[in-house]
Amino acid sequence: MSVLNAISLSRAPALAFLAVGLFWGSFAAMAPQIKAQIGAEDALFGLLLLGTSFGLLSTMILAPAFDKWQGNRAMPLAACGLALAFLLPGWATTPLVFFLLMVVAGLASGLCDVIMNARVSELEARHARPLMNANHGVFSVGYTIGALYTGLMREASFAPPAIFAVMTVLVLVLVPRMKMQVAELTEETDVTARFPYGVVLLCGGVVLLAFMAEAAVESWSALHVERTLGGRAAEGALGPATLGLTMAVGRFAGQAVSERFRDTTVIFWAACLSIAGALIAAVAPTPAVAYLGFGTLGLGVSVIGPLGLALVGRLVRPQVRTLAISRTAVIGFSGFFLAPAAMGIISQGYGLRMAFAAVAVLVLALFPLLILLKRRGA
């Protein structure tokens, strides 16, 4: 009941998390078809995904100002922008057009991400209980649904624009329920108060590494199954779907765990599980074993990013919460786009097995960050 209660307390941002998950799950399962549609090799496709990072960087400036300007309407409007932006990538037929469309998608997704995480952080402070893992679990549910739906539609030979259009309509139906009352904060009178850059950088690093590991599987698991292991389109879609499903399980379980154990302790053991999963995926001889690896990694990495965002929301002053979360989110969410690019480059030179092994090495970098966070009382 802890998870259901957490979702009930944060139902407005939970719907925004669901919307973002639906679109990224659909995009991940569509990646092999879009890659072929624009005629890009692994390295180029990975670099083109950096277009989303350019859009995401804009949210560092835009999100806090947009949130302050629109208030209660900020989250529904951001979700509308996301719904419309994801109509675009399916129409790309050249690498340049795809890159530009992903810039727009990154801006829309980043804006929605920052605001919905800030809303959850505000609700955590209001209700004095952790809510972040439950909401990120809803994202994973949406991601799984989006990936499975897209895999089935691809098998039925539907075109990408038609597949994305259904998602757009669904999210627009949910938008009116995303409006929530936002607390009015008094302006800070202490002009000498310093912005908590240290906390933002440390928590941003945790979120970055977690989301890089997650994004590596999201963007390349379908290709790994279809190309390395000879799976069909539906089998390929099960790669990101398995990740999404196990991340949902991990985050919902993490909701209860985070109420009982120290955040840094949970992150440590989750990182160990993630490393094991990445290595299993790297050496998998069959799609079934690859799914085991994706699932194990999903269970582990699922709680790391949400806990990093929750930590920064709790460690900073309420007056700078949205700004701190926006900067942490930009650092962290850039992992969704840096990782696919890095995976593409490694895959081009050494193959996807070596690329997934590199994910295990990446997650190891979490351990020194945890030491530094403990010194700050996290």
Side-chain angles (χ1 to χ4, degrees), residues 52-238:
T52 323
S53 295
F54 286 98
L56 180 67
L57 288 173
S58 303
T59 63
M60 181 183 290
I61 300 171
L62 296 178
F66 181 78
D67 191 21
K68 185 176 181 180
W69 174 40
Q70 290 296 325
N72 298 345
R73 298 184 298 272
M75 190 161 57
L77 288 174
C80 283
L82 175 69
L84 297 175
F86 266 84
L87 285 171
L88 304 176
W91 293 101
T93 56
T94 66
L96 177 59
V97 171
F98 176 70
F99 177 83
L100 295 175
L101 295 180
M102 292 309 293
V103 171
V104 177
L107 174 59
S109 179
L111 187 64
C112 195
D113 263 313
V114 168
I115 294 172
M116 68 190 190
N117 277 286
R119 293 290 182 273
V120 174
S121 185
E122 178 183 328
L123 289 170
E124 285 187 325
R126 185 184 303 174
H127 297 289
R129 62 167 297 182
L131 302 169
M132 197 68 77
N133 264 309
N135 280 269
H136 281 259
V138 173
F139 165 89
S140 298
V141 170
Y143 184 92
T144 304
I145 294 171
L148 289 173
Y149 153 79
T150 301
L152 293 173
M153 295 289 276
R154 282 183 61 202
E155 282 283 321
S157 300
F158 280 89
I163 295 174
F164 286 135
V166 172
M167 292 295 188
T168 294
V169 172
L170 177 58
V171 171
L172 291 176
V173 170
L174 297 175
V175 161
R177 296 180 176 273
M178 296 181 192
K179 187 175 180 179
M180 65 170 275
Q181 190 66 35
V182 181
E184 294 185 9
L185 297 173
T186 57
E187 294 292 333
E188 286 191 290
T189 56
D190 183 6
V191 296
T192 64
R194 298 179 61 187
F195 185 77
Y197 289 105
V199 171
V200 168
L201 288 174
L202 287 174
C203 293
V206 170
V207 180
L208 171 66
L209 294 171
F211 286 172
M212 284 186 75
E214 179 182 341
V217 181
E218 286 182 358
S219 298
W220 291 92
S221 58
L223 278 167
H224 188 41
V225 171
E226 292 180 31
R227 190 176 68 192
T228 310
L229 305 175
R232 302 191 313 275
E235 290 177 305
L238 281 176

Side-chain angles (χ1 to χ4, degrees), residues 206 257 261-276 299-301 303-305 307-308 311 363-371 373-374:
V206 170
V257 171
F261 298 97
R262 190 173 180 177
D263 289 345
T264 48
T265 300
V266 177
I267 292 173
F268 173 84
W269 290 109
C272 294
L273 196 60
S274 302
I275 292 168
L299 283 174
V301 82
V303 300
I304 300 174
L307 287 177
L311 275 172
V363 178
L364 284 171
L366 279 168
F367 297 135
L369 294 179
L370 292 177
I371 294 172
L373 279 170
K374 284 184 178 181

